[in-house]
Amino acid sequence: MNHFGSGELETAVIQSELCIGCGACVRLCPYFDSYRGKTALLFPCAVEKGRCFAYCPKIEVDLDAITRFLHGIPYDGNPLGHHRGIFIARAGEKVRKQPFQAGGTVTALLVYAFRSGNIRGAVLTNRKGLLPEPRFVTRSADVYRASLSKYTAAPTLSALNEALDKGHGNLGVVGTPCQVTAVSQMRMNPMDKPGFKDPTALVVGLFCTWALDFRRFETFLAGEVPLEKIVKIDIPPPPAQVLEVYLEDGKRAFPLDRIRPLVPDTCGYCPDMTAEFADVSVGVLEGRGDRNTLIVRTERGERIVREAEKKGFLVLEEMPRENLEHLQWAAGNKKKRGFLRSREAGKVNGEPGKTLFRLAPECLDGVFQDR
Amino acid sequence: MSFLIDEGRNIQHLLMGNEAIVRGALEAGVNVAAGYPGTPSSEIIETLSKVARDRNLYVEWSTNEKVAVEVAAAASFAGLRSLCVMKQNGVNVASDFLLHLASSGTRGGMVLVTCDDPGALSSVNEGESRLFAQILEIPLLEPGDFQEAKDIIPWAFALSEKIRNVVMVRSVTRLSHGSGNVRFGSLPGTSARAEFVCHGPLLDPETGPIISMILAAPELQHGPQQEKLKKAAEIFETCPFNTYQGPDEPELLIVTASICSLYSREAVRILGLEDRVGILKLAATWPLPERLVKKHLAAAKRILFVEEVVPTLEDHVKVIAAEAAGEIGAKTFYGKKSGHLPSVGELNPDLVLDALARIFPAAAGTGPAASPGGVKDIPQRFTPARGMTFCPGCPHRASYWSIHNALALDGRGGFVCGDIGCYVMGTLPAGFSTVKTLHCMGSGSGVASGFGKLRSFGMDQPVVAVCGDSTFFHAAMPALANAIHQRSPFTMILLDNRGTAMTGFQPHPGSPTNVLGEEAPALDMEKICRSMGAKVETSDPFDLVKTREKLNRLLEYGEGAKVLILRQACALSPEKRGQRKYEVSVDAERCRGENCGCSRLCTRIFGCPGLVWDREKEVSRIDEMICAGCGVCADICPAGAIVRKEVAR
């Protein structure tokens, strides 16, 4: 693996505007910190090979190594990533009723994982005003508060680093594809720390087409609506093509054409729509705003999903073929776009320390040929 | 009782140059003294304040140098003898009033003492006050040793009264801060009565108003002013402090002044050139006593000028030589222009030795072996290399830490406009290289006010100015007023360390006491800024988290000028000195040292001298001898390895 330090990370990621502000490098040390959605290197660090660089999902991501670590097989470029099953899902009757983004599947899984003792803590993203706020929680009751989508990039993993620093283990983590990639790299113990034990017990990935730059989004919304009255933000599935802002006293819809300029450039390099390195991944089911798509990927993920279903926390249905095909098509498109952009920038299998992704060249060809 | 008011005539004391100036002022019967602190001048007002009650003096630390001269001028107008004191930069500040004062003239004797700092040992420049004497058209005197530093002051007062104008006396760091034997003269009585006689005719110098108002009639005031200068030049011909030593017809004439005369004497003696080189030491250096200078020029063919910084004496003497060329013949000159001596930095005997050795090659090497590279390099060879930094427990380190981090997190390329005080080190790693402009007193806020108005040109970097509490009153308030009135969106950070700390805790208008230690109304900076119209926040810089958060919020906060007051007394302040709030220690087990997760943050970046890196054990430790116990480092340690325990009182 090509590992470097904070200086290379700052040059190749932060200054190159590849940083999404996931928080993977924050709270590991005093040098990186996050403020209003942006990560900054405060002072130069003298460590040549740091965890910051090793965890970062925007530099030297060895897709083959991660897939081998998680599943024992090489990365194959499948649009949806390695998986064991795909379902329609929603929260069951054991989960408290409240407004969910869609079917409440993520909340249901976390609540069950807490209640069953599968996890003893969870890293989530709350919201303070419009600002996403990383949270480490240790009770299922706290899960509900984090239940709505934020749409802006968030330094969630800083809360994970903080929890690990305090010695917490058996953790649930909920994150976007970039955050899940960082978590998987962290789980691989890249610094070969002796006595290392995977601190995660359940990694839940969230589908993501792109995230919004918090500062740009806030500036945009501040000119349109009273920020303090926002209760929920939603991007309903196509063909709507709008971002909806629910206010205490109504709703405003903004065409996505006005919203897309608020997407950070770095999202254009991303080939992962469904958080392929999670235990389970969750998104909104196309055509049904009150249901989720659930992709089950790992053995431990499958076990928790099945138990949650059995105990009434989760309701699963078969995924119809046409939905599946459309999901595959959408994820494949993002994968092609992301790899194409990355390759054009010389960031696939390129110079050590400046490369975004590493994967077998024939696999990359496969992605581009795949119809 | 201070020995400085010892009545004993002819007894000798070892005096610092500044103390000698004080004794001189006391022997002159000075009544009023005002100044603004600045190294190397500060001891003069401080020492005078200690004898103020005994000698019936009024002494004050003024808000700035211009005000100090105005205060001293008032005393002169009322017939008293007054002294005003400042460092070279202060003369710049005071120059506007001084120019008009030189035009209006004075009544009671008035002496302006300026202490220059060649080599900028304690200054941000080595600007010269000598040139001001020319611009202001007032006489300039430069004492050449410690005895003269005392003796020249009464002489200057007498001159001031003879010509009815202010007289400038210039000292330099090595005279002000060096010490030598001084034989005392007698002290006059202490009764004095002030009255401003001002009801006479407009232009009557004895009884009229004292005004500087030429209004297209320069002959009315400017003419008489130049007559005064001519009178001074005439008096300077017989000034007892102009001296000559050496043969009647020297092979080389050294023309020198101030402390450089001692360097010249030492170099001549070391090279054994006493019979070949003459030294004309001038104390009256502007306007030059032309006949005296011409007489000495006539006796030598070669002339060496020994003076510090820019060639001033050199230029003026050359003009006299040119005008008298037919009479005294052509001369060969050595000095700055010939490259024999540098025009930057202090001089020393080694540099004069080098210059003489170039002129007298045969004499070179006859003196005792000079140290290789000169005396100046000796400390460098025996002391470890280290950067300038803030003292242990200094609030500025903590303030800059938060300012630096707030700007880095803000991420819009924000920067700090600096100002004058210990916090000039914000330009250096000691202050995390946060300060990006630095000029004179109060200029940080003025420059920031200007930067703030560049938004219409696409500049969206946040602009921050730092300003000390004394500096705020000295010169930054007009800049803040400007920024508020012009709606300039900058953030002024008042580094309030409770006194004029850099120069030794002199009080300022925000202090609860005056120079005599008497209770005085303290102006409230917070209320002032708020009533001026700024949004004001206050924080303790030792609370790193709150300070950073408050600053980030202010940087986000839209239009207009904002003020953040960071209040924490200087670690060396009388109220804190020798008292530790915390006992601080390092838990070696928890110290992460050079590993990922720390990389020696405390000793490599934070850089408090109270923190030491133990190379052998590879952990940090506290230097208990110098740790001031502020406890801030416990908050920066990522591992919780720095532990602080409140000291029981």
Side-chain angles (χ1 to χ4, degrees):
Chain A
M1 277 190 208
N2 293 305
H3 281 170
F4 295 91
S6 63
E8 289 86 355
L9 188 62
E10 193 194 26
T11 315
V13 179
I14 296 182
Q15 284 173 4
S16 308
E17 295 190 10
L18 279 179
C19 179
I20 186 64
C22 71
C25 59
V26 177
R27 302 280 175 273
L28 292 170
C29 69
Y31 296 95
F32 285 99
D33 205 350
S34 178
Y35 177 68
R36 287 168 47 79
K38 288 246 182 292
T39 302
L41 178 66
L42 301 179
F43 295 105
C45 160
V47 172
E48 281 174 21
K49 293 184 176 186
R51 289 172 293 172
C52 53
F53 192 98
Y55 297 172
C56 178
K58 295 290 182 177
I59 196 78
E60 289 292 350
V61 176
D62 189 333
L63 298 169
D64 236 21
I66 299 173
T67 314
R68 282 179 198 280
F69 167 77
L70 292 172
H71 306 294
I73 53 169
Y75 180 76
D76 64 3
N78 181 323
L80 300 177
H82 180 80
H83 55 271
R84 306 167 80 92
I86 302 181
F87 305 94
I88 292 175
R90 65 176 169 86
E93 76 276 6
K94 286 278 184 66
V95 180
R96 204 162 81 200
K97 290 282 170 278
Q98 69 163 62
F100 292 119
Q101 197 72 27
T105 302
V106 176
T107 306
L109 277 169
L110 266 288
V111 168
Y112 170 71
F114 260 119
R115 297 260 184 95
S116 60
N118 276 294
I119 60 170
R120 299 192 182 283
V123 175
L124 310 169
T125 312
N126 281 15
R127 216 179 67 187
K128 195 174 178 183
L130 204 59
L131 185 70
E133 193 183 47
R135 292 289 292 167
F136 174 66
V137 302
T138 51
R139 300 178 313 150
S140 64
D142 294 326
V143 172
Y144 291 98
R145 266 181 238 152
S147 69
L148 295 174
S149 292
K150 314 301 175 298
Y151 288 102
T152 56
T156 310
L157 300 184
S158 63
L160 174 62
N161 289 331
E162 211 169 347
L164 297 182
D165 193 40
K166 288 180 180 144
H168 292 283
N170 284 8
L171 301 179
V173 183
V174 180
T176 54
C178 45
Q179 291 171 336
V180 166
T181 302
V183 171
S184 67
Q185 296 188 115
M186 188 207 76
R187 292 167 64 194
M188 290 163 75
N189 189 22
M191 306 297 284
D192 300 319
K193 189 180 166 194
F196 176 85
K197 189 173 165 283
D198 183 352
T200 67
L202 177 66
V203 179
V204 179
L206 303 170
F207 290 11
C208 178
T209 314
W210 35 252
L212 295 171
D213 178 285
F214 169 76
R215 297 184 186 194
R216 283 189 233 166
F217 188 47
E218 188 192 51
T219 309
F220 171 81
L221 279 189
E224 300 284 347
V225 298
L227 295 183
E228 65 284 357
K229 291 196 173 163
I230 297 172
V231 290
K232 180 181 169 177
I233 294 165
D234 192 24
I235 299 179
Q241 291 291 319
V242 289
L243 176 133
E244 295 173 338
V245 178
Y246 292 79
L247 302 166
E248 283 164 14
D249 49 0
K251 187 172 94 172
R252 286 280 306 274
F254 301 98
L256 285 185
D257 285 347
R258 290 186 68 196
I259 300 300
R260 281 201 189 89
L262 315 177
V263 176
D265 195 45
T266 180
C267 290
Y269 294 89
C270 176
D272 184 0
M273 190 185 92
T274 60
E276 297 173 27
F277 303 126
D279 290 307
V280 298
S281 302
V282 181
V284 181
L285 178 67
E286 298 236 334
R288 282 290 305 268
D290 58 349
R291 293 287 189 280
N292 289 108
T293 301
L294 170 66
I295 304 179
V296 179
R297 303 183 181 281
T298 63
E299 250 180 70
R300 70 182 192 187
E302 186 170 42
R303 182 176 51 77
I304 292 172
V305 165
R306 286 299 175 198
E307 282 174 22
E309 185 191 22
K310 214 160 99 188
K311 304 266 168 140
F313 284 83
L314 204 59
V315 179
L316 299 181
E317 296 168 49
E318 282 297 304
M319 174 71 79
R321 225 182 94 112
E322 52 275 32
N323 283 65
L324 202 58
E325 277 173 1
H326 186 260
L327 183 66
Q328 237 158 356
W329 174 81
N333 271 349
K334 181 173 178 186
K335 194 169 292 294
K336 272 179 234 172
R337 277 199 311 269
F339 277 135
L340 195 63
R341 179 87 191 274
S342 301
R343 192 173 66 173
E344 278 169 0
K347 291 185 184 297
V348 179
N349 298 330
E351 216 182 309
K354 292 179 181 168
T355 285
L356 231 170
F357 300 113
R358 294 200 183 275
L359 73 163
E362 53 278 16
C363 174
L364 187 65
D365 294 342
V367 169
F368 292 133
Q369 280 155 17
D370 183 35
R371 283 285 99 196
Chain B
M1 196 179 77
S2 168
F3 68 94
L4 282 170
I5 49 174
D6 198 328
E7 295 285 349
R9 193 176 155 79
N10 268 332
I11 54 160
Q12 277 196 73
H13 278 288
L14 180 68
L15 294 193
M16 201 191 207
N18 280 346
E19 290 173 326
I21 290 169
V22 167
R23 174 71 191 190
L26 294 172
E27 289 180 10
V30 70
N31 308 113
V32 168
Y36 183 82
T39 312
S41 72
S42 310
E43 296 83 4
I44 298 173
I45 291 291
E46 263 173 9
T47 309
L48 277 168
S49 75
K50 287 181 188 138
V51 299
R53 286 194 187 94
D54 290 311
R55 298 296 304 166
N56 190 26
L57 309 180
Y58 173 71
V59 183
E60 74 168 40
W61 281 124
S62 307
T63 302
N64 65 32
E65 292 87 348
K66 177 171 171 280
V67 175
V69 182
E70 288 157 353
V71 166
S76 162
F77 298 164
L80 300 181
R81 283 192 162 185
S82 69
L83 186 75
C84 55
V85 186
M86 58 203 58
K87 70 183 293 179
Q88 80 274 9
N89 314 59
V91 184
N92 307 341
V93 176
S95 60
D96 193 8
F97 178 71
L98 278 169
L99 185 74
H100 296 93
L101 178 67
S103 166
S104 77
T106 55
R107 285 195 187 150
M110 179 168 171
V111 174
L112 165 67
V113 171
T114 142
C115 300
D116 286 13
D117 189 16
L121 301 166
S122 308
S123 308
V124 293
N125 65 44
E126 56 172 358
E128 287 243 27
S129 64
R130 284 186 296 171
L131 299 166
F132 272 102
Q134 266 176 275
I135 300 167
L136 303 171
E137 298 177 82
I138 57 172
L140 170 66
L141 291 165
E142 296 184 70
D145 61 29
F146 303 94
Q147 183 68 47
E148 269 185 30
K150 178 189 84 66
D151 294 343
I152 217 164
I153 299 290
W155 200 83
F157 272 108
L159 175 65
S160 168
E161 281 162 6
K162 273 180 213 150
I163 66 166
R164 289 195 174 270
N165 214 342
V166 59
V167 172
M168 184 162 159
V169 175
R170 175 199 185 237
S171 175
V172 293
T173 306
R174 301 294 171 184
L175 180 62
S176 281
H177 284 175
S179 293
N181 282 347
V182 177
R183 191 172 296 279
F184 281 14
S186 56
L187 291 176
T190 57
S191 64
R193 202 179 142 64
E195 186 190 353
F196 181 32
V197 180
C198 57
H199 301 294
L202 190 65
L203 290 170
D204 186 318
E206 307 292 329
T207 63
I210 301 183
I211 54 170
S212 165
M213 199 171 71
I214 283 176
L215 297 180
E219 66 282 0
L220 294 181
Q221 279 193 310
H222 200 188
Q225 184 188 350
Q226 289 182 348
E227 287 305 316
K228 292 174 180 180
L229 203 59
K230 276 186 196 154
K231 193 171 165 190
E234 195 53 42
I235 294 169
F236 279 180
E237 294 287 354
T238 54
C239 170
F241 309 109
N242 297 329
T243 60
Y244 175 78
Q245 67 179 65
D248 290 343
E249 288 187 4
E251 292 172 47
L252 177 80
L253 176 70
I254 292 179
V255 180
T256 185
S258 86
I259 202 74
C260 295
S261 60
L262 297 183
Y263 304 154
S264 303
R265 279 194 233 163
E266 190 171 338
V268 167
R269 200 183 60 231
I270 288 173
L271 293 178
L273 293 169
E274 293 97 327
D275 297 335
R276 301 169 69 188
V277 177
I279 300 175
L280 176 63
K281 190 225 75 173
L282 294 169
T285 52
W286 176 259
L288 282 176
E290 290 191 17
R291 292 197 302 282
L292 177 79
V293 170
K294 210 164 79 183
K295 183 185 94 187
H296 287 282
L297 289 178
K301 284 206 157 47
R302 297 188 292 177
I303 321 290
L304 169 66
F305 299 100
V306 180
E307 62 182 319
E308 285 173 319
V309 201
V310 294
T312 304
L313 202 52
E314 179 171 343
D315 287 355
H316 296 155
V317 171
K318 281 177 175 172
V319 170
I320 295 172
E323 285 173 352
E327 210 179 313
I328 62 171
K331 306 291 170 190
T332 305
F333 296 107
Y334 308 102
K336 315 267 185 207
K337 300 242 167 107
S338 67
H340 283 72
L341 286 165
S343 56
V344 294
E346 287 190 290
L347 294 188
N348 57 45
D350 280 334
L351 288 169
V352 184
L353 265 175
D354 286 346
L356 284 172
R358 283 169 66 189
I359 301 165
F360 296 97
T366 55
S371 66
V375 189
K376 252 189 130 173
D377 295 336
I378 293 174
Q380 270 72 36
R381 280 190 284 136
F382 297 108
T383 53
R386 54 188 176 169
M388 281 172 82
T389 193
F390 297 113
C391 303
C394 177
H396 295 325
R397 180 181 290 103
S399 295
Y400 277 126
W401 182 266
S402 301
I403 296 168
H404 172 276
N405 289 354
L407 289 171
L409 288 171
D410 180 272
R412 291 176 289 167
F415 57 88
V416 175
C417 300
D419 220 300
I420 305 302
C422 295
Y423 55 103
V424 296
M425 284 190 284
T427 54
L428 307 175
F432 320 110
S433 307
T434 314
V435 169
K436 304 299 184 189
T437 74
L438 180 70
H439 300 86
C440 67
M441 295 284 286
S443 66
S445 299
V447 170
S449 171
F451 273 127
K453 294 310 290 182
L454 303 183
R455 283 193 176 173
S456 59
F457 299 95
M459 193 179 131
D460 59 358
Q461 297 160 279
V463 183
V464 174
V466 288
C467 173
D469 40 341
S470 192
T471 307
F472 175 75
F473 294 107
H474 179 284
M477 281 175 66
L480 179 62
N482 188 69
I484 291 167
H485 183 65
Q486 308 301 342
R487 297 183 197 278
S488 177
F490 90 104
T491 306
M492 180 191 219
I493 299 181
L494 287 177
L495 302 171
D496 178 6
N497 59 4
R498 317 304 287 152
T500 316
M502 190 181 189
T503 47
F505 299 101
Q506 293 81 6
H508 56 63
S511 307
T513 52
N514 65 16
V515 68
L516 299 180
E518 299 159 344
E519 205 178 300
L523 280 69
D524 184 332
M525 293 197 293
E526 195 172 337
K527 283 186 188 156
I528 291 171
C529 295
R530 198 163 279 141
S531 63
M532 284 169 84
K535 179 182 169 65
V536 183
E537 293 267 4
T538 304
S539 187
D540 174 0
F542 285 175
D543 187 338
L544 299 177
V545 174
K546 275 207 189 108
T547 300
R548 207 270 299 145
E549 283 174 358
K550 278 184 180 168
L551 181 52
N552 270 128
R553 270 204 304 276
L554 285 177
L555 293 174
E556 290 290 331
Y557 183 86
E559 294 305 303
K562 297 145 277 184
V563 174
L564 175 62
I565 301 176
L566 298 182
R567 183 169 295 136
Q568 180 66 248
C570 169
L572 300 176
S573 67
E575 59 181 284
K576 267 194 183 173
R577 203 164 190 164
Q579 295 195 28
R580 288 181 189 170
K581 186 168 184 208
Y582 297 104
E583 280 305 329
V584 185
S585 60
V586 176
D587 179 348
E589 293 294 307
R590 287 159 89 177
C591 176
R592 290 178 188 164
E594 289 178 311
N595 293 323
C596 181
C598 183
S599 183
R600 296 214 283 117
L601 182 78
C602 65
T603 53
R604 197 176 57 86
I605 304 288
F606 189 64
C608 175
L611 289 157
V612 185
W613 175 244
D614 187 329
R615 280 171 209 268
E616 278 172 26
K617 294 181 186 150
E618 299 193 330
V619 290
S620 293
R621 61 180 174 78
I622 303 293
D623 182 343
E624 285 156 10
M625 287 299 287
I626 62 168
C627 172
C630 70
V632 173
C633 55
D635 287 326
I636 65 139
C637 176
I642 303 181
V643 186
R644 66 179 173 217
K645 210 175 86 194
E646 203 150 345
V647 175
R649 295 252 173 262

